[in-house]
Amino acid sequence: MRRRAKGTGMNLSARTSLVKHAITALLVGCVFATPAIVSSTGSAKADTITFEDIAGNTAEGSFLAARVANTDFKHALSAQLLENALRFKPDEIGIRRSLLVTYLQAGEFEKAAATAEEFVRDAAMGRTARLIAYGDHMRARRYTAASGVLQIEKPSREMPLELLQDRLLTAWALAGQNKFEEAISLIDSDAEFSWFPLFSNYHAGLILEAAGQREDAKRRFAQTIEFPRATATAPDTVFRAIEALTKIHAQDGEEVRARTALQTGLNMVGNHPPFQALFYRLSETAKVPHVPSVEAGAAEVFYTLGQAITRQGAESFSTQIYRLGLALNEANDPMRMALAAIYENKDRFAEANDIYAALTEASVFKTRSEIQMALNF
């Protein structure tokens, strides 16, 4: 009969094993929290304790440390740890699932896309895998394939935000095939939730503009801006609609209407960089396409819905959504700013600055990003 550890309710062997795993995980976490051995005088020794020194020979230690790193928004480190775990257990499905998501969070879209096909029918990871596969098809301009990846007919009451997202993304894939009428029909179908039009009208406007139906596009942008309680519900979508409406009016020589639309935005938030750029350089700024491609349009879906998700506190999931969007349009600067802000809120200032640094000199957010980078240092 095995002797039980006093007061624990488990046998001694099990308890010892549990303690060993806990110590291993703690050591692994310490290694990456402290890259060098620090002497009593405060100076770092030349030799450092590396990951391989302590936990490089266990899949379990690597996996547990990866989970901790991911919780701390150290996504690049988490991916490295999961890759190491996979060396020891290459067929472990749990590690592979975690790595798919972590690649995406770390901005390694190509690596995520390379493994997404394995999980498109997976019960736990299927949706994430399908979104990655969609992004991969759109980047390669395989619009027909992209339009068949997502689920647009599932019961909307089950997961309404997912349904809306899938329909909007599929509509952009249809637009890539010049099936504009079908795309608009899909966007407008079964809007059984009262808040659907807040997002769908904006994207319908963008697709109608791409189709050359400019007056209809203006009407949809205006409907987004005028949606009841829109600013309180989804301010970022409203701001983007104001930009789009201001630009399309200016491009059509309707300066008075352009400035009227812009003033609506300035009354909401006067220091918003895109509004400031349009106010001082309307003709010049309006020449820059609001959404230059169908890929950029799909990226707008990830941005507008990603902001709604972020406001609910689901920041870990938001990083996945924003990374998907940036994989489709690296020049979506509002989305880049939103992603950097998440890392700042988690005290991951180096990662935030890396994201800010990718903004070009022409970006209207460049000055603001440089100020944030200086504060983060």
Side-chain angles (χ1 to χ4, degrees):
M1 179 181 297
R2 289 189 177 182
R3 182 167 56 92
R4 287 188 176 271
K6 197 172 191 179
T8 65
M10 66 174 71
N11 64 50
L12 186 61
S13 175
R15 186 185 183 200
T16 303
S17 177
L18 182 62
V19 171
K20 285 176 65 179
H21 280 299
I23 292 173
T24 300
L26 179 62
L27 287 174
V28 173
C30 291
V31 171
F32 285 94
T34 310
I37 300 174
V38 180
S39 70
S40 58
T41 60
S43 61
K45 294 182 179 180
D47 295 331
T48 60
I49 299 177
T50 67
F51 166 67
E52 289 80 8
D53 290 335
I54 294 181
N57 60 347
T58 66
E60 292 78 10
S62 297
F63 183 76
L64 288 170
R67 294 289 296 272
V68 173
N70 194 281
T71 301
D72 290 341
F73 278 68
K74 301 176 183 179
H75 294 129
L77 172 59
S78 182
Q80 175 193 340
L81 289 162
L82 288 169
E83 287 175 336
N84 191 73
L86 207 60
R87 288 196 302 115
F88 299 104
K89 293 189 175 180
D91 298 323
E92 177 56 51
I93 193 70
I95 297 174
R96 300 180 72 84
R97 282 179 180 145
S98 296
L99 191 54
L100 174 70
V101 174
T102 306
Y103 276 148
L104 184 58
Q105 292 174 311
E108 298 280 359
F109 182 82
E110 290 80 6
K111 290 183 178 180
T115 57
E117 187 62 32
E118 176 184 354
F119 294 104
V120 292
R121 293 177 180 81
D122 183 77
M125 203 57 62
R127 173 159 181 78
T128 300
R130 287 190 294 272
L131 288 171
I132 294 171
Y134 170 89
D136 193 41
H137 288 314
M138 290 293 285
R139 279 161 54 103
R141 300 186 176 181
R142 298 188 296 265
Y143 303 127
T144 301
S147 64
V149 169
L150 303 176
Q151 299 176 9
I152 59 175
E153 299 298 337
K154 60 189 176 185
S156 60
R157 295 257 170 216
E158 185 180 325
M159 294 294 286
L161 192 62
E162 289 186 4
L163 174 70
L164 178 63
Q165 183 181 60
D166 286 2
R167 285 183 175 171
L168 294 177
L169 290 172
T170 301
W172 277 108
L174 291 169
Q177 302 168 62
N178 294 322
K179 296 180 178 180
F180 299 110
E181 185 176 345
E182 187 176 343
I184 297 301
S185 177
L186 176 60
I187 286 177
D188 290 339
S189 63
D190 300 327
E192 53 187 277
F193 286 87
S194 60
W195 50 269
F196 270 26
L198 172 57
F199 299 97
S200 60
N201 277 327
Y202 171 57
H203 288 278
L206 294 175
I207 290 175
L208 287 165
E209 183 179 2
Q213 301 176 39
R214 299 177 71 79
E215 294 306 314
D216 288 336
K218 294 171 188 175
R219 178 173 56 83
R220 292 293 192 124
F221 294 143
Q223 288 174 346
T224 303
I225 299 164
E226 295 164 1
F227 191 87
R229 298 177 298 280
T231 307
T233 306
D236 312 280
T237 300
V238 175
F239 297 162
R240 293 296 278 171
I242 291 171
E243 287 181 64
L245 185 58
T246 300
K247 284 186 174 183
I248 195 171
H249 277 315
Q251 291 162 3
D252 289 352
E254 301 164 349
E255 183 171 347
V256 174
R257 290 184 176 182
R259 291 205 173 274
T260 299
L262 177 59
Q263 191 60 49
T264 302
L266 291 169
N267 291 342
M268 294 176 181
V269 52
N271 64 348
H272 189 48
F275 294 165
Q276 288 289 308
L278 285 165
F279 181 80
Y280 289 108
R281 302 185 302 278
L282 178 60
S283 297
E284 177 187 346
T285 306
K287 292 178 182 177
V288 180
H290 186 63
V291 173
S293 65
V294 293
E295 295 79 33
E300 283 287 299
V301 178
F302 288 118
Y303 172 64
T304 52
L305 295 185
Q307 286 288 73
I309 293 167
T310 301
R311 281 190 294 276
Q312 298 302 314
E315 293 174 317
S316 181
F317 184 56
S318 295
T319 60
Q320 300 174 44
I321 296 298
Y322 292 146
R323 290 293 193 184
L324 282 164
L326 289 172
L328 289 168
N329 181 20
E330 293 182 351
N332 191 312
D333 293 341
M335 184 152 45
R336 189 171 294 280
M337 296 292 289
L339 179 61
I342 289 177
Y343 282 95
E344 284 179 330
N345 290 337
K346 299 297 181 180
D347 294 334
R348 304 306 308 161
F349 300 115
E351 289 88 342
N353 282 359
D354 287 342
I355 296 167
Y356 285 134
L359 270 71
T360 67
E361 291 296 327
S363 172
V364 298
F365 288 96
K366 186 63 175 178
T367 300
R368 180 171 292 184
S369 70
E370 288 176 340
I371 293 171
Q372 288 302 125
M373 290 175 71
L375 292 172
N376 290 341
F377 278 125

